[in-house]
Amino acid sequence: MHVEHLLRLDRLDLALVWGDRALLEQEISAVTATDLADPARFLQPGEIVLSGLVWWSQEDGRDKAERFVCALREAGAVALLAGEETHGSVPAELADACRRHRIALLAVPAHTSFRTITEAVYLRQWGELSRRPTDHALPENVRAELGRELERGATAQELLTGAFGHLGTPRCYLLTAAGRTVARSATAEVLPAPRAAGALRAARGMTLRVEADDTAYDAWYLHLPEEGQTPPRAVQEIAALLGRHRRRRDRRRTARKAAGKRLAELLGGTHPDANVLREALTSSGLPGSGPYTVVVAKRTTTDETADETASAGDALTEALNHLPSTSYGFAVGDRPGGEAMAVVAHPEDTAADVRTGLAEVWPLLHACQPDALLHAGVSRPAATPADLPAAVGQARYTLAAARTANPGAAHVSGTDDLSGLHLLLAGIPCDVRTVYRDTVLGPLLGDPRTSHTVLLETLEVFLAHNCSWARTAEALHLHVNTVHYRIQRVERLTGRDLSRLDHKLDLRAALLCR
């Protein structure tokens, strides 16, 4: 299928903004939808790119358009299909950038969905592949058998095995963007997730994206390490078949996602009814008895142009699918404010595997979308459904600690990480910490005089040296009498007695809350 074929489809109602004959005659290999400001790492040569232009704004519009189109050119994209819904029309700056870099530009009206365009491309490609000679695509009998297997509800593994069986069984993998192996051929060795993710980024061999309603975290890629052993058209046909399988599978999982959301809403409230909770667990595919582990995750975008189509629930679902200990089942539900909650059922002796496994896969998820930070908090095992509300509180507390202690890095925290006063305090809401700090240190914080800043510094050093007068004096290059004088002033201003352990802890906690 060529770019110009899209313009001939009346049901799409596309309009040509710019593109000459040579550009319109380019063949389309695949479709990618993105609203990243720089989508280069997710593109493959020959793709058309669908964008709602959420990343574009009047401010620095020319530079943003230049960056986006340059990424398309470097990746080998053949056309940009720009949605008109966000800005009312295709910006002139974008059209200018496409002319400079020779990228065909088509306008997509608000009433035409990106899914309709994607389906039009792959339906056309599927028809073309089915009419091509069998030495370049799947034989007719294989195609018919795969169609029957698809209708029967075959797994991705069964479809992959059947599709590549007549091709000499080359090494091939069906991988997610985060490096999880969904299926592999009989000759393909086990590929650890970090190596798989690295192979996708390195773009070695042949890699083809499987088009479906996916996200940056769980997109499927058909990957053959050795290029040239399999006809590219046959690989495209297999990828299209797997895309149909993925879309059917995802539709069947819609009810399970809804059940997971209901469970998260129930646990997010207070004192859920025991019978209602047990029914919600069963509806989510979880056993009615524990143990369970609760995970609460938060996704925060660090760039206004970051892709917002993915959620914390999408990331958490993909992460849990990496863990062998989740074979008992898990349910994930998105919550307001970019939060997601998961209840994981597992054997009693694998509780620690949830925390460890998530920590191992978390960097792979972050690499899929570096502009979005992911943090997670993991509870201790809940023995029964009645223990789940307490586990939710633990997970939320450790999540808050992870976000406070590691604000600029993706991180997973468990209750075992709360091993110090600073980590314990990190889980307390910011406004509560502020009130506590102001209450305890108020007289020292409210006065801008230099002398009070010096008193705070002396107090911090004094507590850090276990209230040793001599070591504090040495650290601050002061006479011991000066240290005594300053600490006495701190005691008078704060009303605390630093000879008492509880008052020392009060002041130490208040300093950590700054």
Side-chain angles (χ1 to χ4, degrees):
M1 183 178 191
H2 299 163
V3 176
E4 63 179 346
H5 292 151
L6 293 172
L7 293 169
R8 299 176 187 172
L9 297 176
D10 293 337
R11 68 180 185 277
L12 299 183
D13 200 20
L14 304 179
L16 178 64
V17 178
W18 184 83
D20 56 28
R21 173 56 55 186
L23 295 178
L24 296 180
E25 289 178 349
Q26 294 182 101
E27 187 168 352
I28 301 171
S29 65
V31 184
T32 290
T34 182
D35 263 313
L36 292 174
D38 184 357
R41 61 183 179 275
F42 298 112
L43 303 181
Q44 298 290 333
E47 290 184 323
I48 60 170
V49 178
L50 309 180
S51 178
L53 307 186
V54 175
W55 51 268
W56 190 87
S57 62
Q58 290 288 347
E59 183 181 359
D60 299 326
R62 180 182 176 85
D63 292 341
K64 291 178 178 178
E66 178 70 18
R67 178 186 178 190
F68 186 86
V69 177
C70 184
L72 267 59
R73 183 201 62 193
E74 292 177 354
V78 297
L80 169 61
L81 275 63
E84 295 181 320
E85 183 173 7
T86 303
H87 302 288
S89 63
V90 178
E93 293 86 346
L94 185 61
D96 292 340
C98 286
R99 288 189 186 94
R100 285 193 298 274
H101 294 288
R102 290 191 55 75
I103 297 290
L105 177 61
L106 281 64
V108 182
H111 59 266
T112 300
S113 70
F114 285 177
R115 176 180 292 188
T116 302
I117 297 172
T118 301
E119 289 178 349
V121 171
Y122 286 107
L123 284 173
R124 174 69 178 257
Q125 287 184 331
W126 185 267
E128 290 177 349
L129 285 168
S130 66
R131 293 189 295 270
R132 287 173 178 167
T134 57
D135 60 333
H136 292 297
L138 298 176
E140 185 61 36
N141 65 318
V142 174
R143 187 182 302 108
E145 176 61 25
L146 290 173
R148 287 191 293 270
E149 289 294 298
L150 184 66
E151 294 298 327
R152 180 181 64 81
T155 64
Q157 179 64 62
E158 291 170 336
L159 292 172
L160 190 74
T161 301
F164 281 97
H166 81 288
L167 297 172
T169 318
R171 285 199 303 146
C172 64
Y173 298 87
L174 182 58
L175 305 172
T176 67
R180 176 170 57 91
T181 299
V182 179
R184 58 189 173 94
S185 63
T187 57
E189 68 277 10
V190 174
L191 196 59
R195 281 182 54 198
L200 291 179
R201 288 193 296 269
R204 291 189 293 268
M206 181 189 300
T207 302
L208 190 63
R209 180 166 179 166
V210 175
E211 291 301 325
D213 296 331
D214 48 32
T215 71
Y217 304 111
D218 64 357
W220 282 5
Y221 291 88
L222 196 56
H223 176 66
L224 287 79
E226 292 88 17
E227 192 170 5
Q229 293 190 356
T230 308
R233 292 176 180 175
V235 177
Q236 288 178 337
E237 187 170 356
I238 295 169
L241 175 76
L242 291 169
R244 291 169 60 194
H245 162 76
R246 169 73 184 263
R247 288 189 288 272
R248 291 185 177 205
R249 187 207 65 164
D250 288 348
R251 283 196 294 269
R252 290 194 297 268
R253 292 189 176 185
T254 301
R256 182 178 173 184
K257 291 180 67 174
K261 185 176 181 179
R262 287 194 297 271
L263 178 61
E265 290 173 348
L266 185 63
L267 291 173
T270 56
H271 307 297
D273 179 81
N275 292 329
V276 174
L277 178 55
R278 194 176 299 276
E279 182 182 348
L281 288 167
T282 304
S283 299
S284 301
L286 297 175
S289 59
Y292 313 96
T293 292
V294 174
V295 185
V296 178
K298 180 85 172 181
R299 181 178 182 271
T300 308
T301 55
T302 58
D303 188 330
E304 62 179 11
T305 60
D307 184 8
E308 295 293 345
T309 59
S311 69
D314 295 321
L316 190 51
T317 299
E318 173 61 20
L320 290 171
N321 274 320
H322 281 252
L323 275 57
S325 60
T326 58
S327 58
Y328 274 41
F330 62 87
V332 178
D334 280 305
R335 299 278 294 146
E339 181 184 282
M341 183 186 301
V343 177
V344 184
H346 51 76
E348 190 169 354
D349 58 349
T350 62
D353 294 350
V354 177
R355 162 70 174 81
T356 303
L358 286 177
E360 290 175 354
V361 76
W362 219 243
L364 301 179
L365 293 170
H366 179 63
C368 293
Q369 203 165 36
D371 295 332
L373 285 178
L374 291 167
H375 291 92
V378 184
S379 76
R380 287 191 171 182
T384 68
D387 299 322
L388 281 172
V392 171
Q394 295 171 14
R396 281 185 168 155
Y397 197 93
T398 54
L399 168 64
R403 297 185 68 204
T404 303
N406 303 273
H411 189 74
V412 178
S413 285
T415 54
D416 291 344
D417 294 322
L418 302 176
S419 57
L421 182 60
H422 66 293
L423 290 173
L424 182 67
L425 293 170
I428 297 175
C430 182
D431 53 347
V432 176
R433 293 199 310 272
T434 300
V435 169
Y436 180 80
R437 178 202 66 194
D438 293 347
T439 301
V440 177
L441 298 176
L444 297 177
L445 297 172
D447 194 318
R449 289 179 296 180
T450 304
S451 60
H452 283 203
T453 303
V454 169
L455 292 179
L456 278 173
E457 179 189 10
T458 305
L459 172 63
E460 194 160 15
V461 175
F462 184 65
L463 292 173
H465 287 84
N466 297 318
C467 299
S468 167
W469 304 102
R471 283 187 289 162
T472 302
E474 182 180 357
L476 293 173
H477 306 290
L478 297 173
H479 193 278
V480 172
N481 289 344
T482 304
V483 176
H484 275 280
Y485 169 73
R486 290 182 180 179
I487 294 301
Q488 288 170 358
R489 286 193 63 197
V490 168
E491 290 177 324
R492 285 197 301 270
L493 288 168
T494 61
R496 260 62 177 185
D497 180 357
L498 280 165
S499 65
R500 292 177 51 178
L501 177 60
D502 56 340
H503 285 192
K504 292 176 186 176
L505 289 174
D506 288 345
L507 290 167
R508 175 60 177 161
L511 289 170
L512 290 172
C513 286
R514 289 187 298 167

